[in-house]
Amino acid sequence: MNTSIRVTLDGSSAEVPVGTAVREVLERLRPDLAGQALGVRAGEEVLDLQRRLTQDAKLEVVTAADGDPGALYLLRHSAAHVLATAVRELWPNAGIGFGPPIEDGFYYDFDVPRPFTPEDLEAIEAKMREVVEADHPFERREVSRGEARALFADDPYKLERLEEIPEGDVISVYRDGPFLDLCRGPHLPRTGLVQHFKLLSAAGAYWRGDERRLMLQRIYGTAFFSRQSLERYLHRLEEAKRRDHRMLGKQLDLFSIQEDGGPGLIYWHPKGAMLQFLLRRFIEDELLKRGYELVYTPHLASEALFQRSGHLQAYAELMFPGMELEGEVRGYRVKPMNCPMHMLIYASQQRSYRDLPKRYAEVASVYRFERSGTLHGLLRVRSLTMDDAHIFCTPEQIEDEVLGMLDLVDHVMTTFGFEYRLALSTRPAKRIGSEDLWDAAETALRRALERRTLAYALDEGGGAFYGAKIDCKFHDAIGREWQGATIQLDFVLPERFGLAYIGPDNAPHRPAMIHRAIFGTLERFIGGLIEHFAGAFPVWLAPVQVRLLPVKEGHRAAAADLAARLRAAGFRVELDDRNETVSYRVRDGEVLKIPYILVIGEREASAGTVAVRRRGAEEKQIVMPVEAFMVQLRREVAERSRDPVQSLTAPAGRA
RNA sequence: GCUGACGUAGCUCAACUUGGCUAGAGCGGCUGAUUUGUAAUCAGCAGGUUGUGGGUUCGAGUCCCACCGUCAGCUCCA
């Protein structure tokens, strides 16, 4: 067995004995950085300076940098320990759960007698500063299982975790000052390096994320290497609140949720309804171009249907309760999904392989009894309008169908300028359908993704029990991730409904079935759009595209004529002839984020021109002939342009 | 659903740590004056059973209980 290993650090390498600490390698190979190094990167993994090397390694030094995920990982993981150290000082008997770094910070879960208050957080933060000032070294030690059991004899959560560490794995503990944690690491060299941090919130969180188990108290915080980065982050959070679709929805009068009407049920006001109308028209046009057929089905059906589809067995707790209708033997339910209805249409006649694929699309509201605590503006509701479709095809056609859907998803997302992420979810442990079926399904999805060379995350075992799926995710204003488009294979429903097509062999075969939604739901998609555009919708989507302001009373008639003309040309126009100054009305239009404000005064009325003020443009007014403006507007709508039109200039020789 | 916080005019927010006269302000609305040229003209008026229902108290926006709703997180999901 080798007693020495070869270690390469930032390009230079050395032969060192097995078990040499990273710190020693560093002092030998990069003495210049020894003081600044926080850890090293070994491929994907970050190691701290105390780690002993047991095999050949290629390392890179990690130094303090807010742009380096590895450095931030060390920092935030250590900040979580500093937090726990402080909490243990103030609540010596606090139980400790997990405390990992996360996307934008870190958290730690505690078992304490009462929930933390905002004042507690301040006190904890002050105590954290003391821990930082004490500059305790983070000490790593590898221990035996027996020793670990003894060390954490009073920490039931740690003991539970300990027992899950597989036999043979290294068990390590980290100490900083008085605080000892069962932890894999890595950590910063010392607590003193955690300089710029802030505790953000506290809330309950179930131990191990299991709602049947005890609720611990979680504290969230964030940390950066520089004060500027911390402040920039906190400022970004503030900014994000101004994009919140719930606030903008109220300000721009798009929608409301009525306490008298019930939670999670959306009232679309005229301007929000216009958004929904435009999106619907957009997607339905796209679907018709792609060989879909539109269907309309009832929002209500006999319980027998949902019995047959399996919803009443598998999905009952998300369905609104049944209703008894006078004189009817059976109960009725509002639909939580459209698939059972589309199944019935397919099953209404005999199908030939020549008919396939059959693509039924329906933009329809469905109703789901989401748990009250999960409701969130437009992003999680109880009446949701899906741009739903069900594709019935032969197993061989699945791949091409999925490919077409991925193209449509991409077309839609790029039209709106949405960044998105795809995830492929494969067979879960609890599933139905033969292995052959799953193999074919997963292969079809994967091959479709790869044929379009799309990057995707793999969610092993994350599929639904009835089929594999591809999901598309996007972020809201404050960075929470939501699911939008979804493409799901389904092996169950064709079976349950006994669907068939007659193949070339003159024998019946079971068709494959794909559920899919591109927007996901109009509610969630519009919520996302509002935040994405911060309420400043591109012209083709803006509920009001143009606002006309006559300068004074005498110009009202000219403005009204122009409004009528624009409307006749298909534009969405408002006339603002209120008895207010031009400045006031311009401001009002700006606040409402209307793309074009046109001022009509003496000059314009007599010359047939308009003074155009384009939202966000440098130049505050550009005088141009009405015709030229209309051409411009028409082009912008046709192109679904997302950027302010740069070419909007006055014709040469303008007055 | 769970834990915690919150709920005052259409909107945003006041009403003192410790219950005390008729619950205030800005924006918005209405009326009038002003006839306005690119981000707020001036004046007046109206607008509230302080989420709902109970309770404590001489007295409750303020304290207690229940319910409804909202927010953050957990869980779940389009």
Side-chain angles (χ1 to χ4, degrees):
Chain A
M1 185 169 167
N2 283 343
T3 53
S4 70
I5 51 175
R6 174 146 290 272
V7 179
T8 308
L9 179 66
D10 286 355
S12 40
S13 63
E15 201 76 27
V16 298
V18 167
T20 301
V22 169
R23 189 188 304 281
E24 292 161 43
V25 173
L26 192 71
E27 276 158 7
R28 186 153 150 209
L29 293 177
R30 289 302 302 267
D32 54 318
L33 281 182
Q36 293 166 50
L38 304 178
V40 293
R41 205 185 323 269
E44 297 281 285
E45 209 186 349
V46 177
L47 307 177
D48 52 43
L49 302 183
Q50 310 173 52
R51 260 311 254 290
R52 297 192 174 278
L53 299 166
T54 53
Q55 52 188 347
D56 291 358
K58 255 186 123 109
L59 308 175
E60 284 170 68
V61 172
V62 173
T63 54
D66 285 323
D68 179 350
L72 283 176
Y73 186 97
L74 282 162
L75 173 67
R76 290 166 175 175
H77 194 185
S78 301
H81 277 225
V82 169
L83 166 61
T85 310
V87 168
R88 266 285 173 82
E89 293 274 297
L90 296 167
W91 286 265
N93 295 319
I96 47 174
F98 291 143
I102 50 173
E103 176 89 30
D104 281 317
F106 60 90
Y107 69 78
Y108 211 113
D109 289 341
F110 302 98
D111 182 9
V112 282
R114 62 165 175 84
F116 296 110
T117 64
E119 294 76 45
D120 291 339
L121 292 194
E122 280 177 40
I124 293 166
E125 221 178 85
K127 187 57 84 179
M128 285 173 73
R129 304 218 175 271
E130 291 176 24
V131 175
V132 168
E133 257 168 59
D135 203 13
H136 301 298
F138 278 99
E139 296 170 77
R140 176 193 171 91
R141 209 150 63 77
E142 295 180 4
V143 298
S144 70
R145 193 170 296 265
E147 190 179 351
R149 282 198 193 105
L151 285 171
F152 296 100
D154 298 328
D155 281 316
Y157 304 100
K158 293 295 168 186
L159 284 180
E160 183 177 330
R161 175 73 190 103
L162 180 63
E163 294 317 317
E164 289 168 5
I165 298 177
E167 212 53 57
D169 276 22
V170 169
I171 297 173
S172 59
V173 300
Y174 277 80
R175 172 178 292 285
D176 63 287
F179 180 67
L180 182 75
D181 201 354
L182 176 70
C183 177
R184 208 168 46 186
H187 280 286
L188 293 173
R190 310 182 313 275
T191 59
L193 293 164
V194 184
Q195 281 291 328
H196 306 291
F197 61 92
K198 178 138 187 69
L199 298 184
L200 298 172
S201 62
Y206 300 107
W207 168 236
R208 313 304 299 263
D210 184 340
E211 63 181 319
R212 287 162 307 193
R213 305 195 63 174
L214 187 71
M215 184 167 268
L216 305 181
Q217 295 302 318
R218 175 171 300 176
I219 297 178
Y220 283 93
T222 193
F224 290 89
F225 287 106
S226 74
R227 170 148 302 280
Q228 293 94 302
S229 296
L230 175 63
E231 274 164 11
R232 205 173 310 129
Y233 175 73
L234 297 175
H235 185 247
R236 204 181 82 204
L237 285 185
E238 288 302 309
E239 283 295 299
K241 281 185 198 154
R242 292 206 252 164
R243 290 180 164 246
D244 191 310
H245 73 281
R246 293 166 297 187
M247 199 200 66
L248 285 168
K250 208 178 273 183
Q251 268 173 20
L252 305 180
D253 196 20
L254 300 177
F255 69 93
S256 62
I257 297 168
Q258 301 289 334
E259 189 165 344
D260 289 342
L265 305 171
I266 307 300
Y267 290 72
W268 290 102
H269 298 13
K271 290 186 176 128
M274 179 54 70
L275 281 173
Q276 193 176 132
F277 167 77
L278 294 165
L279 290 177
R280 246 176 134 113
R281 193 164 70 180
F282 168 64
I283 197 72
E284 287 180 346
D285 282 350
E286 291 296 332
L287 294 179
L288 293 176
K289 282 187 218 161
R290 288 167 159 81
Y292 284 77
E293 299 171 287
L294 300 183
V295 299
Y296 297 116
T297 63
H299 285 209
L300 203 63
S302 158
E303 288 198 331
L305 179 61
F306 297 112
Q307 201 79 48
R308 184 167 180 197
S309 68
H311 282 92
L312 279 178
Q313 295 85 61
Y315 210 72
E317 64 183 38
L318 272 164
M319 292 174 70
F320 277 87
M323 55 192 98
E324 297 297 325
L325 299 184
E326 206 174 344
E328 293 282 346
V329 184
R330 302 169 301 191
Y332 279 72
R333 297 275 192 150
V334 292
K335 61 179 172 184
M337 294 185 188
N338 297 305
C339 30
M341 286 71 186
H342 294 185
M343 304 301 290
L344 291 183
I345 295 179
Y346 180 93
S348 67
Q349 53 179 271
Q350 199 168 54
R351 307 289 174 180
S352 151
Y353 72 98
R354 295 173 194 277
D355 298 331
L356 303 185
K358 217 65 190 128
R359 308 185 185 97
Y360 295 147
E362 177 174 16
V363 178
S365 293
V366 298
Y367 301 86
R368 300 185 185 171
F369 193 73
E370 297 289 343
R371 294 158 84 178
S372 60
T374 65
L375 301 176
H376 183 93
L378 291 176
L379 300 184
R380 172 167 250 87
V381 296
R382 284 181 173 163
S383 99
L384 36 157
T385 310
M386 307 183 73
D387 63 318
D388 209 357
H390 295 90
I391 287 76
F392 302 90
C393 61
T394 66
E396 297 73 41
Q397 289 170 330
I398 293 177
E399 190 178 320
D400 279 338
E401 286 304 304
V402 172
L403 207 57
M405 291 171 195
L406 289 174
D407 287 345
L408 180 54
V409 168
D410 190 65
H411 173 62
V412 168
M413 297 307 263
T414 47
T415 295
F416 294 94
F418 258 128
E419 300 213 351
Y420 65 101
R421 214 169 62 74
L422 293 171
L424 170 64
S425 301
T426 59
R427 69 193 82 185
K430 199 181 143 198
R431 61 178 179 268
I432 64 128
S434 72
E435 293 307 294
D436 283 355
L437 219 45
W438 278 94
D439 284 344
E442 287 172 9
T443 306
L445 290 179
R446 186 175 287 117
R447 286 200 46 184
L449 283 165
E450 275 154 17
R451 268 171 68 185
R452 281 294 176 270
T453 60
L454 289 165
Y456 62 92
L458 189 61
D459 182 4
E460 207 77 65
F465 72 93
Y466 54 77
K469 59 176 182 167
I470 295 173
D471 290 328
C472 167
K473 319 212 179 212
F474 65 94
H475 292 268
D476 73 4
I478 63 169
R480 287 176 295 212
E481 194 169 69
W482 299 87
Q483 186 180 315
T486 182
I487 298 172
Q488 307 183 351
L489 261 36
D490 191 329
F491 308 136
V492 179
L493 284 182
E495 195 75 36
R496 293 188 80 106
F497 281 82
L499 298 191
Y501 65 90
I502 305 302
D505 57 356
N506 197 29
H509 299 273
R510 188 77 71 211
M513 208 267 274
I514 311 174
H515 309 249
R516 46 105 289 186
I518 305 299
F519 290 139
T521 69
L522 258 31
E523 285 78 9
R524 184 174 286 179
F525 195 79
I526 291 174
L529 278 183
I530 294 170
E531 304 202 348
H532 178 64
F533 291 119
F537 299 106
V539 173
W540 77 275
L541 267 183
V544 177
Q545 298 168 311
V546 179
R547 213 178 229 208
L548 290 178
L549 315 188
V551 172
K552 44 184 164 179
E553 252 171 47
H555 311 123
R556 271 186 185 172
D561 282 352
L562 180 53
R565 211 172 136 195
L566 288 168
R567 254 180 228 124
F571 301 117
R572 299 184 290 278
V573 182
E574 274 181 2
L575 177 62
D576 182 2
D577 59 0
R578 287 178 296 176
N579 180 13
E580 298 286 354
T581 61
V582 171
S583 274
Y584 178 92
R585 287 176 288 159
V586 164
R587 176 174 193 275
D588 199 51
E590 289 280 345
V591 167
L592 293 173
K593 303 176 196 277
I594 294 167
Y596 287 107
I597 296 171
L598 307 189
V599 176
I600 317 293
E602 208 49 53
R603 298 196 295 265
E604 292 76 15
S606 55
T609 58
V610 280
V612 180
R613 183 187 170 101
R614 160 83 214 198
R615 181 185 63 202
E618 286 276 307
E619 202 155 1
K620 293 307 177 199
Q621 64 167 325
I622 293 165
V623 179
M624 61 198 300
V626 170
E627 271 313 319
F629 173 71
M630 285 173 69
V631 166
Q632 178 60 60
L633 194 55
R634 191 169 291 123
R635 196 171 79 208
E636 207 176 338
V637 169
E639 288 171 357
R640 298 199 181 97
S641 162
R642 279 182 280 119
D643 304 310
V645 171
Q646 298 308 324
S647 57
L648 185 73
T649 48
R654 125 190 196 216

